[in-house]
Amino acid sequence: MTVSVAPTARPVRGRLVDHLEAGLDAPICLTWELTYACNLACTHCLSSSGRRDPRELTTAECETVIDDLQRHQVFYINIGGGEPTVRPDFWHLLDYATSHDVGVKFSTNGSRITAVVAARLAASDYVDVQISLDGADAAVNDAIRGTGSYDTALTAMRHLSDAGFRGFKVSVVATRHNVGQLDAFKTIADRFGAQLRITRLRPAGRAVDVWDELHPLPGQQRQLYDWLRARGDEVLTGDSFFHLAGFGAGLPGLNLCGAGRVVCLIDPVGDIYACPFAIHDRFRAGNLRCDGGFIKVWRESELFRQLRAPQSGGACTTCSEFDMCRGGCPAAKFFTGLPFEGPDPECVRGLGEQALAARDTVNIPRPSQDHSHARSVAATGPTVARRSSRPCDAHPLAATETAANAVQG
């Protein structure tokens, strides 16, 4: 990956965000996709999940990663997938992490959150749960996540609520079809004693093919911004919407791209990416198996070094709103075919729309891999398994996994 680096030294400034831009010795938190296996086929899946990759990290390797995170005082991990609960060792790994002082928040479609599981989760002080929901009614939600997924998610919420689990998260990806349902989402979260979390639709994974049809329209971006400004103390955003700060004021949070600075992603086969929304070889920093482990990659990767260097900001630095929006999301630019030094595709000043209209649509980057179920890849073309000459990609442990570790996605 090539990143524009400013020729001048980083100025000494007092804001926390300016210090975090230089990166940390260990991430505040990280996202860990445990498996690409999933029993759903969401149209906007950022990791193109569906089928399990036979090379995924073994239980012992996952334990080693957790040990490494504990030694370097990583506060917590966001576990996702795929659907992480379909991994047979998921509950063991959850217990292993919490017993080693690493908190866990895992994202799930709710299909395996039974009353018994909910009671177990409610009894833990170091586990948080995030139920995915993309419509405040079945019609909107199931069009994206699949028939029956709305009822499944609400059933899981009910189990958690009945078990006394307060403050679990209801996670919503904002689209043009659900922006008008923000109050209804808040009502659902309140009903179950949960907290609403709203994140941005990024054009990553399968969402590359539906982003043009799903991302909120300009007027809806303003509607979303105003709603979040009014609800900022009650709703989590995970710094998804710092590009909207150009409307006048930042939303609660750091309001910067934390890729390779304070966050990153570990994928199921041990590849480490700068950002959960950029699973592409250009954003790949290394691999746990052949590059010395997670912390070594985090501290010594050339990609991360570049990301932590002072950035020029490109053409956006001339904009009066640059100090607020920081030029937007690099991953969103990349997967819509826009240059890193250009505007965010959803720039609130309309510059993104102009850039999209002028882009080369023939050479828009594609995700480097696709684990979609056969039935869900009609819009993305045939599934192509990623191949590499790197020795660690053919890790010998992958061939010795027992049948018990096989996941039927």
Side-chain angles (χ1 to χ4, degrees):
M1 173 182 176
T2 300
V3 180
S4 300
V5 179
T8 56
R10 179 184 297 278
V12 177
R13 293 172 287 188
R15 298 181 304 172
L16 175 62
V17 65
D18 298 315
H19 292 289
L20 292 178
E21 280 187 319
L24 302 174
D25 286 342
I28 293 174
C29 67
L30 61 87
T31 297
W32 187 355
E33 310 287 21
L34 277 182
T35 183
Y36 284 123
C38 190
N39 53 343
L40 296 185
C42 303
T43 61
H44 63 357
C45 178
L46 64 90
S47 59
S48 299
S49 289
R51 296 171 292 107
R52 173 182 174 271
D53 191 314
R55 303 169 301 155
E56 69 185 28
L57 298 175
T58 65
T59 301
E61 288 176 309
C62 291
E63 289 175 349
T64 298
V65 174
I66 293 168
D67 292 340
D68 208 14
L69 299 179
Q70 180 189 28
R71 279 193 300 272
H72 293 89
Q73 298 182 314
V74 174
F75 296 129
Y76 73 93
I77 50 179
N78 293 306
I79 290 181
E83 171 54 42
T85 62
V86 304
R87 243 190 95 126
D89 61 358
F90 170 74
W91 302 107
H92 164 76
L93 292 174
L94 185 149
D95 290 339
Y96 190 89
T98 57
S99 67
H100 286 73
D101 305 314
V102 178
V104 174
K105 176 166 68 178
F106 70 92
S107 298
T108 176
N109 56 43
S111 59
R112 300 201 172 192
I113 306 298
T114 64
V116 173
V117 167
R120 174 181 176 177
L121 293 170
S124 175
D125 293 329
Y126 300 101
V127 176
D128 197 5
V129 184
Q130 187 165 279
I131 307 294
S132 297
L133 189 72
D134 290 319
D137 56 59
V140 174
N141 179 84
D142 291 6
I144 292 176
R145 304 189 62 83
T147 302
S149 58
Y150 178 83
D151 291 338
T152 296
L154 261 65
T155 297
M157 294 179 205
R158 189 171 301 108
H159 287 321
L160 290 168
S161 179
D162 291 346
F165 196 129
R166 296 293 176 263
F168 68 88
K169 309 301 182 286
V170 177
S171 183
V172 176
V173 177
T175 71
R176 69 182 56 173
H177 302 299
N178 65 23
V179 166
Q181 298 183 321
L182 295 174
D183 286 331
F185 282 122
K186 186 66 170 59
T187 297
I188 290 173
D190 291 344
R191 184 199 318 166
F192 294 109
Q195 185 172 22
L196 182 60
R197 182 174 187 266
I198 301 177
T199 59
R200 182 182 181 184
L201 173 70
R202 259 80 165 204
R206 285 197 292 270
V208 166
D209 295 293
V210 298
W211 186 82
D212 285 332
E213 291 75 38
L214 286 184
H215 77 94
L217 298 170
Q220 293 177 316
Q221 297 280 3
R222 181 69 203 220
Q223 179 185 353
L224 175 60
Y225 171 80
D226 290 341
W227 194 89
L228 290 174
R229 285 285 295 170
R231 298 281 194 168
D233 294 335
E234 308 168 50
V235 178
L236 300 176
T237 64
D239 281 305
S240 287
F241 301 105
F242 61 93
H243 69 295
L244 297 182
F247 278 127
L251 297 167
L254 296 176
N255 285 303
L256 87 158
C257 172
R261 295 162 171 164
V262 295
V263 298
C264 67
L265 168 80
I266 301 174
D267 88 342
V269 301
D271 281 334
I272 300 169
Y273 296 89
C275 171
F277 308 108
I279 303 178
H280 187 279
D281 287 343
R282 194 169 183 185
F283 295 91
R284 181 185 169 280
N287 183 278
L288 295 170
R289 286 168 166 159
C290 60
D291 293 319
F294 172 74
I295 292 298
K296 184 176 177 64
V297 174
W298 174 263
R299 293 180 177 174
E300 300 180 14
S301 159
E302 176 62 19
L303 171 64
F304 287 168
R305 185 195 69 77
Q306 292 179 20
L307 289 171
R308 295 162 190 165
Q311 305 295 307
S312 70
C316 282
T317 54
T318 62
C319 176
S320 60
E321 307 301 334
F322 175 74
D323 196 47
M324 296 298 298
C325 80
R326 303 296 179 115
C329 174
K333 297 178 189 182
F334 181 76
F335 283 116
T336 52
L338 301 184
F340 290 118
E341 64 272 14
D344 186 284
E346 294 180 307
C347 168
V348 301
R349 298 188 64 190
L351 300 177
E353 296 173 74
Q354 298 173 27
L356 289 172
R359 64 183 165 168
D360 176 8
T361 58
V362 175
N363 295 311
I364 294 176
R366 302 290 306 168
S368 295
Q369 51 191 302
D370 191 344
H371 291 82
S372 301
H373 293 293
R375 68 177 180 274
S376 66
V377 296
T380 62
T383 297
V384 178
R386 186 167 67 93
R387 294 287 181 255
S388 172
S389 59
R390 296 182 296 115
C392 60
D393 275 354
H395 195 272
L397 289 178
T400 62
E401 291 178 311
T402 65
N405 281 336
V407 177
Q408 298 300 319

